[in-house]
Amino acid sequence: MSYLAVENDRRIYFEHHRGDERPIVLIHGWGANTRCWDTTAPALKAAGHEVVLVDLRACGRSDKDFEDVTIAALADDVVKVVEHLGLSSPVINGWSLGGAVATAAAAALGSRAGGLVLTGGASPRYTATDDWPYGGSTDDVEGVLAGAAANRADTFRGVAAAVCATPPSSDVLDWIWGMFMEMGPIGDDSLRDLARTDLRKELGGLDIPILLLHGRDDAFVPFAGAEAVLELNSRARLVPFDACGHAPFLEDRDRYLAELTGFLKS
């Protein structure tokens, strides 16, 4: 296992699986960790890709007592990992909140990035505003966080149950819930920051290929928001996943891998 100090002596955990094909960095969603990619990363590695997985601050095996867990700080960590490993034109793939992190990281990398993938990505905005009518409200987010503060286990069990459009097996539900329960309480502030983050300028300014892999029945990030990304950047392409919710890589794995690996080869 590998760690990188990113805030004084506070460290994030990452995995680096070497390969000769195009590198890809996989960024998990709020409350999850690198293990969420356990049905994705091995297939990418088997196809020869260099695969990097990152536990965001306060999540998984990363330290839990960071001072700054904003989207900007998380994105800066991704850039530091890319630079630390000397990755060449990596594709940055972010799921859910990780989509915002991936977008900000790709913008910071600029021409050094090889592409952006948004997997049910909460990008460029997670909450609705007057000129972005997609998503919930900051009050909705605060309601979830208040629930977590009062009863973390039950709140995260409910979040886990809403990830997939079709209820998963009890083992899969327990697996998702278990990842959420590993996040330290300061990680809640990442979601709070996401609620006020707007990356439309950054996403619109990217001059790299962009792939959106999005479930039509996503209960967290509306499909219409993914469609709106196409108006922000002409290099974006949207692949809808019918009968899928927030995690197409779990709900329709074979098609998800086909689309992702095709993008990596393009």
Side-chain angles (χ1 to χ4, degrees):
M1 62 183 68
S2 299
Y3 292 91
L4 187 67
V6 293
E7 182 189 87
N8 299 320
D9 61 344
R10 305 298 193 272
R11 306 175 306 164
I12 58 166
Y13 168 81
F14 70 93
E15 297 178 12
H16 181 208
H17 303 278
R18 290 171 174 79
D20 296 327
E21 301 298 325
R22 174 173 288 190
I24 179 168
V25 181
L26 300 173
I27 306 172
H28 64 76
W30 179 63
N33 56 53
T34 58
R35 298 279 66 82
C36 76
W37 298 109
D38 279 357
T39 60
T40 301
L44 295 174
K45 185 177 184 300
H49 292 286
E50 186 175 10
V51 181
V52 177
L53 305 101
V54 179
D55 271 348
L56 300 177
R57 297 184 180 200
C59 296
R61 297 185 183 185
S62 292
D63 290 336
K64 304 299 190 292
D65 53 349
F66 281 92
E67 296 292 331
D68 187 353
V69 292
T70 60
I71 299 301
L74 304 182
D76 186 57
D77 291 347
V78 173
V79 172
K80 287 177 179 176
V81 170
V82 168
E83 293 174 341
H84 175 72
L85 296 175
L87 301 182
S88 176
S89 297
V91 169
I92 315 297
N93 181 355
W95 172 45
S96 193
L97 175 145
V101 176
T103 300
L109 287 166
S111 61
R112 293 179 291 167
L116 172 67
V117 180
L118 299 177
T119 298
S123 177
R125 283 192 63 95
Y126 182 58
T127 53
T129 187
D130 290 344
D131 57 351
W132 185 265
Y134 317 106
S137 67
T138 54
D139 287 344
D140 295 332
V141 170
E142 290 300 332
V144 171
L145 296 178
N151 185 336
R152 207 156 181 83
D154 283 346
T155 297
F156 281 132
R157 186 74 176 186
V159 173
V163 167
C164 298
T166 301
S169 69
S170 59
D171 287 342
V172 170
L173 179 57
D174 288 345
W175 173 56
I176 298 171
W177 180 47
M179 285 189 282
F180 289 154
M181 294 303 296
E182 290 184 34
M183 181 177 68
I186 191 63
D188 292 6
D189 284 343
S190 292
L191 184 63
R192 183 171 282 114
D193 188 64
L194 177 69
R196 54 179 178 256
T197 294
D198 192 320
L199 294 166
R200 282 178 284 183
K201 181 179 178 181
E202 288 81 357
L203 186 54
L206 291 176
D207 189 22
I208 54 176
I210 302 170
L211 177 67
L212 295 97
L213 304 171
H214 211 103
R216 288 191 183 274
D217 299 325
D218 193 321
F220 294 90
V221 181
F223 184 77
E227 291 180 309
V229 171
L230 304 181
E231 301 174 9
L232 295 176
N233 194 308
S234 62
R235 302 200 66 181
R237 181 171 67 90
L238 171 62
V239 177
F241 283 76
D242 295 332
C244 283
H246 196 45
F249 59 98
L250 298 178
E251 300 171 88
D252 194 351
R253 175 181 178 266
D254 290 347
R255 184 169 179 236
Y256 179 84
L257 286 172
E259 293 289 348
L260 180 58
T261 54
F263 181 76
L264 291 171
K265 293 176 182 177
S266 62

